[in-house]
C-alpha cells in the first residue's frame, strides 16, 4: 500500500512542503513492512524445516527478496528505455509504483493464508499455561523486547549479529544500488542504461550463486564455517572491484561486479538460517531477535552506505587534486572498498570471538571442537609425514646425483705414528744406561 500511494502522491507544486514530508512518512511505512516481512519469512520458513535443509530454505527467502529487487530493476530500466528523459523526470518515475498495485492483492492473499510454524504453535500452548501460573502468582507477562534486552547473553548475541550482518548488508547495497550510480553519475565511466543492464545480469548471477551457497551451507558440519570462508573473500574482493573499475572497460566492470557478487552470495547463502538458529531455543523471541538484529544492521550500515561511500569518493578525489596521489590515483579510488573491508573484519571478529551458537553450547560444541582438533592433528601428521618423505627423497636424489657425477667426499689419509723395532729400542736404552754409569764414575773420582 505505501508503494502504491507513492505513485499517486502530488508533487511540491501542489502540496508544497507537505509533499516531501508525506513521502518520508510513506517510506517509513514501507520500511516497517519490508523489515517485518523479511524477518517473518526467515522465521516461518526455517522453523518448519530440519537441520539438513535450513540453509536452502533461508536462501530461497533471500533469493525471493533479491528477485523482487530484480523485477524492480527490470521495470525501471524498461521504463527508462521507453520514455524520454524529460518524461521520466516529469511523471515517468511514478510508473513502477503504479505497477506494484497489480501485485499487491496477490501478496495479501498469500500472507493471509499462511499458517504459523509448529514451534510457534507449541510455544502458544505453553504460553497459555505460563499465563495461568503468572495470574496465580500475581505476575505480569513481559513483552518479548523486554525479555530480549534483560538477558546479557541475548544482548551479546544481538550485538554480534549486528556486527556480522554489517558487511553483508552494506556489500549488497553497494553492489546493486550504489555501484551503478558510481559508474554512471559520479565517475561517468559508462551510461546509466549500460550500468542498469550490467546490474540486471549481475543480479541473475547472484541469485543462482545464492541458492547454491544456501544448499552448500547444509553440507557443512557447522554453518558458520561457510561464513568464515566467505568473509575473507569480501574483505579482499571489495578493493579489487574498485581497482578493476579503473580499467574503464566494460569487461573489466563486469568481471569486477561478478567476482564481488560471488563472495557476497557465499556469505549470504547460510546467513538467514544462522540468524534464526541463534533464537530457536525460545520461539517467542525468534521473530523479535531476527527482526531487531537484521533491521538494526540495515539501519546502521546499509542505510548509511550511500552517504559514507560517496563521502569517501569525494575524499579520494580531494587527495588526487591536492597532488598527493596525482602520479598514481589508484589508492584513493579504493577508499569505498576499504570501508567494506573494515566491516568484513568486524564481522570476522564477531563470528569467531563474540557470537556463540546456543544449540552448540547445549549439545554439540564440545564434540565439534574435539572433531576440529582431531582433524587439525591429522592434517599436521600428514604434513609431517609428507615433509619427512620429501626430505628423504631429496637426500637420496642428491646422493645419486653426486655418485653419477663422480663427486666423492675427500677423506685425508690418517698419518701413522712412527714405530721403533726392538733392537733399536734396546740400543737406545743401553746408551742411556752407559752414559748414566760414566757420569757416576766421574763423580766418584772427584770425591
Amino acid at each position: 500500500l505505501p508503494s502504491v500511494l507513492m505513485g499517486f502522491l502530488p508533487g511540491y507544486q501542489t502540496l508544497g512542503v507537505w509533499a516531501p514530508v508525506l513521502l518520508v512518512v510513506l517510506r517509513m511505512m514501507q520500511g516497517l513492512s519490508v523489515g517485518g516481512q523479511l524477518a517473518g519469512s526467515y522465521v516461518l520458513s526455517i522453523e518448519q524445516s530440519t537441520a539438513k535443509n535450513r540453509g536452502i530454505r533461508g536462501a530461497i527467502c533471500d533469493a525471493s527478496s533479491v528477485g523482487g529487487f530484480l523485477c524492480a530493476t527490470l521495470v525501471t530500466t524498461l521504463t527508462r528505455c521507453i520514455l524520454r528523459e524529460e518524461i521520466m523526470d516529469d511523471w515517468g518515475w511514478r510508473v513502477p509504483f503504479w505497477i506494484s498495485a497489480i501485485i499487491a492483492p496477490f501478496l495479501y492473499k498469500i500472507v493471509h493464508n499462511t499458517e504459523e510454524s509448529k514451534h510457534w504453535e507449541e510455544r502458544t500452548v505453553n504460553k497459555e499455561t505460563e499465563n495461568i501460573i503468572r495470574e496465580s502468582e500475581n505476575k505480569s507477562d513481559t513483552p518479548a523486547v523486554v525479555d530480549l534486552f534483560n538477558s546479557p547473553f541475548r544482548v551479546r548475541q544481538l550485538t554480534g549479529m549486528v556486527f556480522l550482518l554489517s558487511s553483508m548488508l552494506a556489500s549488497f547495497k553497494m553492489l546493486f544500488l550504489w555501484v551503478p550510480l558510481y559508474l554512471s553519475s559520479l565517475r561517468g565511466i559508462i551510461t546509466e542504461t549500460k550500468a542498469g543492464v550490467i546490474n540486471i545480469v549481475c543480479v541473475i548471477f547472484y541469485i543462482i550463486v545464492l541458492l547454491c551457497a544456501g544448499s552448500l551451507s547444509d553440507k557443512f558440519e557447522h554453518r558458520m564455517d561457510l561464513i568464515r570462508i566467505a568473509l575473507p573473500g569480501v574483505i579482499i574482493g571489495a578493493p579489487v572491484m574498485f581497482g578493476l573499475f579503473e580499467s574503464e572497460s566494460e569487461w573489466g566492470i563486469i568481471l569486477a561486479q561478478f567476482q564481488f557478487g560471488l563472495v557476497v552470495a557465499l556469505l549470504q547463502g547460510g546467513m538467514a538460517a544462522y540468524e534464526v538458529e541463534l533464537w530457536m531455543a525460545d520461539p517467542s523471541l525468534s521473530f523479535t531477535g531476527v527482526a531487531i538484529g537484521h533491521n538494526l544492521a540495515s539501519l546502521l550500515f546499509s542505510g548509511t552506505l550511500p552517504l559514507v561511500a560517496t563521502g569517501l569518493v569525494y575524499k579520494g578525489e580531494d587527495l588526487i587534486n591536492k597532488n598527493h596521489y596525482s602520479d598514481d590515483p589508484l589508492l584513493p579510488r579504493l577508499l569505498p572498498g576499504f570501508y567494506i573491508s573494515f566491516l568484513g573484519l568486524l564481522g570476522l571478529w564477531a563470528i569467531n570471538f563474540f557470537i556463540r551458537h546456543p544449540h552448540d553450547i547445549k549439545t554439540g560444541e564440545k564434540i565439534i571442537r574435539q572433531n576440529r582438533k582431531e582433524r587439525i592433528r591429522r592434517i599436521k601428521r600428514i604434513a609431517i609425514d609428507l615433509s619427512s618423505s620429501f626430505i628423504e627423497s631429496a637426500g637420496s636424489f642428491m646422493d645419486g646425483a653426486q655418485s653419477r657425477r663422480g663427486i666423492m667426499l675427500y677423506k685425508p689419509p690418517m698419518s701413522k705414528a712412527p714405530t721403533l723395532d726392538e733392537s733399536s729400542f734396546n740400543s737406545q736404552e743401553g746408551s742411556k744406561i752407559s752414559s748414566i754409569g760414566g757420569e757416576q764414575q766421574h763423580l766418584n773420582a772427584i770425591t
Side-chain angles (χ1 to χ4, degrees):
L1 183 60
S3 301
V4 178
L5 292 177
M6 286 181 191
F8 294 98
L9 182 66
Y12 184 81
Q13 294 79 6
T14 305
L15 296 179
V17 72
W18 285 103
V21 171
L22 291 176
L23 179 62
V24 172
V25 172
L26 291 175
R27 284 291 293 169
M28 292 175 64
M29 295 174 60
Q30 192 180 40
L32 289 173
S33 174
V34 173
Q37 194 174 34
L38 184 60
S41 65
Y42 286 165
V43 175
L44 188 64
S45 177
I46 294 172
E47 282 187 349
Q48 292 179 342
S49 61
T50 62
K52 295 181 179 180
N53 60 358
R54 288 173 186 163
I56 184 61
R57 286 204 173 205
I60 290 174
C61 295
D62 283 325
S64 302
S65 176
V66 180
F69 174 80
L70 175 63
C71 293
T73 306
L74 285 172
V75 171
T76 304
T77 305
L78 186 62
T79 305
R80 287 182 178 275
C81 294
I82 296 175
L83 301 178
R84 296 192 302 272
E85 185 175 355
E86 57 270 15
I87 297 177
M88 282 294 299
D89 295 336
D90 186 15
W91 57 268
W93 61 271
R94 300 176 182 270
V95 174
F97 295 98
W98 294 342
I99 295 176
S100 62
I102 304 173
I103 310 173
F106 298 98
L107 296 178
Y108 177 79
K109 186 176 181 180
I110 292 173
V111 174
H112 184 70
N113 295 330
T114 303
E115 298 179 355
E116 294 288 351
S117 67
K118 59 180 181 179
H119 292 274
W120 180 261
E121 292 176 354
E122 293 174 357
R123 179 60 182 169
T124 303
V125 175
N126 296 333
K127 199 74 173 178
E128 294 176 356
T129 306
E130 292 177 5
N131 291 334
I132 295 173
I133 297 173
R134 285 193 179 97
E135 290 177 1
S136 63
E137 296 179 355
N138 294 324
K139 292 182 179 180
S140 59
D141 188 12
T142 56
V145 178
V146 177
D147 289 339
L148 177 65
F149 286 99
N150 280 340
S151 171
F153 175 75
R154 291 167 182 165
V155 172
R156 177 191 178 97
Q157 298 289 84
L158 182 66
T159 306
M161 280 307 303
V162 171
F163 291 156
L164 178 60
L165 291 169
S166 62
S167 59
M168 186 197 77
L169 296 174
S171 299
F172 183 87
K173 188 70 166 287
M174 171 177 280
L175 180 61
F176 296 119
L177 291 177
W178 186 79
V179 162
L181 297 176
Y182 171 79
L183 295 173
S184 59
S185 300
L186 292 177
R187 293 294 311 281
I189 299 176
I190 56 177
T191 62
E192 290 184 3
T193 304
K194 286 185 178 180
V197 172
I198 294 175
N199 196 31
I200 290 172
V201 177
C202 187
V203 171
I204 296 173
F205 170 76
Y206 186 88
I207 292 174
I208 296 173
V209 178
L210 179 62
L211 294 173
C212 295
S215 178
L216 181 64
S217 68
D218 292 324
K219 306 295 190 273
F220 280 82
E221 184 179 13
H222 201 300
R223 210 174 305 279
M224 68 170 60
D225 291 337
L226 180 61
I227 300 175
R228 286 174 175 149
I229 293 172
L231 278 171
V234 173
I235 294 170
I236 299 173
V240 170
M241 179 177 66
F242 284 90
L244 289 173
F245 286 160
E246 295 306 306
S247 66
E248 297 186 358
S249 66
E250 294 183 3
W251 285 110
I253 292 171
I254 293 173
L255 178 61
Q257 292 185 251
F258 269 53
Q259 63 88 24
F260 190 56
L262 173 65
V263 293
V264 176
L266 287 175
L267 177 61
Q268 190 176 4
M271 189 69 75
Y274 186 72
E275 285 184 71
V276 178
E277 286 175 346
L278 292 181
W279 308 102
M280 284 182 66
D282 190 353
S284 64
L285 293 176
S286 57
F287 185 90
T288 304
V290 173
I292 292 179
H294 198 96
N295 294 323
L296 193 59
S298 298
L299 173 66
L300 296 176
F301 300 101
S302 178
T304 59
L305 185 277
L307 178 64
V308 174
T310 305
L312 291 174
V313 170
Y314 284 116
K315 180 63 177 178
E317 294 296 331
D318 186 53
L319 292 174
I320 295 173
N321 294 331
K322 289 182 178 179
N323 295 326
H324 294 294
Y325 296 92
S326 57
D327 296 334
D328 188 9
L330 178 62
L331 187 61
R333 299 273 168 78
L334 304 182
L335 290 180
F338 289 145
Y339 174 68
I340 298 296
S341 299
F342 168 74
L343 296 181
L345 290 172
L346 186 64
L348 195 63
W349 169 79
I351 196 171
N352 283 305
F353 304 105
F354 205 77
I355 302 173
R356 298 191 69 192
H357 202 292
H359 297 332
D360 292 341
I361 294 172
K362 293 180 180 179
T363 57
E365 188 182 58
K366 184 177 180 180
I367 298 175
I368 290 175
R369 287 201 306 267
Q370 291 176 352
N371 293 337
R372 189 175 289 119
K373 289 181 180 179
E374 181 61 31
R375 285 199 304 269
I376 293 173
R377 292 194 197 98
R378 190 158 52 245
I379 292 172
K380 287 182 178 178
R381 285 198 298 268
I382 294 173
I384 292 172
D385 293 340
L386 290 175
S387 61
S388 61
S389 62
F390 175 77
I391 293 173
E392 292 177 358
S393 302
S396 61
F397 174 77
M398 293 298 296
D399 293 340
Q402 290 177 354
S403 62
R404 285 193 300 270
R405 292 178 184 178
I407 301 175
M408 300 299 293
L409 293 175
Y410 175 74
K411 295 182 179 180
M414 297 294 293
S415 59
K416 295 183 179 180
T419 57
L420 295 174
D421 55 359
E422 185 177 358
S423 59
S424 62
F425 177 79
N426 293 332
S427 62
Q428 291 178 1
E429 292 294 327
S431 62
K432 290 180 180 179
I433 295 172
S434 60
S435 61
I436 294 173
E439 292 176 356
Q440 187 66 35
Q441 291 177 359
H442 179 68
L443 292 175
N444 294 332
I446 292 174
T447 305

